[in-house]
Amino acid sequence: MRSGNMPKSLYQNWQFAVEVNGFDVALFKKGQEPKTEFEEVAFAPAGSMFDQKVAGRVKFEDITLEKGILQDGSDEAAREWIKKQVDVNAVVGGLPNDYMRDIDLVRYDRTGNETRRWTLHGAWIKVLEYDELEGANTDNTIEKLSICFQYWT
């Protein structure tokens, strides 16, 4: 006997996209969805025999994105983004809002329909890192970006 309920589909890891303003061609192969954590605050109200716990400050952990680097040099978006941050920090022009961007992490179902979107607001590159050079390795070179952001919606 059938109950009439159809099985629910689960998200699959490979069905995603990363949209970053300024990245025209970005071969993102790996990323993370945001992690949110609240500090725990405990207090003892008068007359209580035990502490009361409530949510405290919220923290958003950095995310790491990984992407392939194009040989023809057309993919310089991360380096340009870093240069903008350096200019602001060196006080040669601009404010933090000039390098902070919004990043969208998008999930898709098997047919390509968007099912979830995270927007990371006020994002900037905290770490820009490349794979090690190795003479016996023929893998594609990967650029890793650790992204810090203010909050997500």
Side-chain angles (χ1 to χ4, degrees), residues 1-6:
M1 180 174 177
R2 289 186 71 180
S3 66
N5 292 334
M6 295 296 292

Side-chain angles (χ1 to χ4, degrees), residues 115-142:
T115 57
R116 177 182 287 174
R117 179 177 291 264
W118 303 89
T119 301
L120 311 180
H121 298 278
W124 50 276
I125 297 177
K126 185 174 180 179
V127 177
L128 177 59
E129 176 184 356
Y130 299 96
D131 284 342
E132 291 182 14
L133 301 174
E134 183 181 342
N137 188 337
T138 60
D139 292 341
N140 293 330
T141 302
I142 301 299

Side-chain angles (χ1 to χ4, degrees), residues 39-146:
E39 292 178 353
E40 177 184 299
V41 177
F43 65 98
S48 176
M49 296 295 290
F50 57 90
D51 286 346
Q52 301 288 315
K53 295 180 183 178
V54 296
R57 290 180 172 259
V58 64
K59 297 187 291 189
F60 303 104
E61 287 197 12
D62 301 343
I63 63 165
T64 300
L65 304 173
E66 296 182 11
K67 62 187 222 36
I69 301 173
L70 298 174
Q71 280 190 23
D72 65 4
S74 63
D75 186 20
E76 291 289 318
R79 289 168 40 120
E80 291 300 321
W81 194 358
I82 287 283
K83 288 178 188 174
K84 177 71 93 175
Q85 289 176 214
V86 169
D87 288 347
V88 170
N89 289 339
V91 195
V92 293
L95 299 169
N97 282 342
D98 293 334
Y99 62 75
M100 290 182 171
R101 300 181 181 181
D102 290 347
I103 295 176
D104 288 329
L105 305 172
V106 187
R107 285 283 199 157
Y108 297 100
D109 64 15
R110 284 189 155 281
T111 59
N113 296 313
E114 182 177 316
T115 57
R116 177 182 287 174
R117 179 177 291 264
W118 303 89
T119 301
L120 311 180
H121 298 278
W124 50 276
I125 297 177
K126 185 174 180 179
V127 177
L128 177 59
E129 176 184 356
Y130 299 96
D131 284 342
E132 291 182 14
L133 301 174
E134 183 181 342
N137 188 337
T138 60
D139 292 341
N140 293 330
T141 302
I142 301 299
E143 181 178 72
K144 297 176 187 91
L145 299 94
S146 291

Side-chain angles (χ1 to χ4, degrees), residues 13-29:
N13 286 335
W14 60 271
Q15 296 169 316
F16 77 97
V18 180
E19 299 173 1
V20 182
N21 182 25
F23 284 68
D24 293 329
V25 178
L27 305 175
F28 286 103
K29 70 170 209 138

Side-chain angles (χ1 to χ4, degrees), residues 6-10:
M6 295 296 292
K8 302 287 184 189
S9 294
L10 298 174

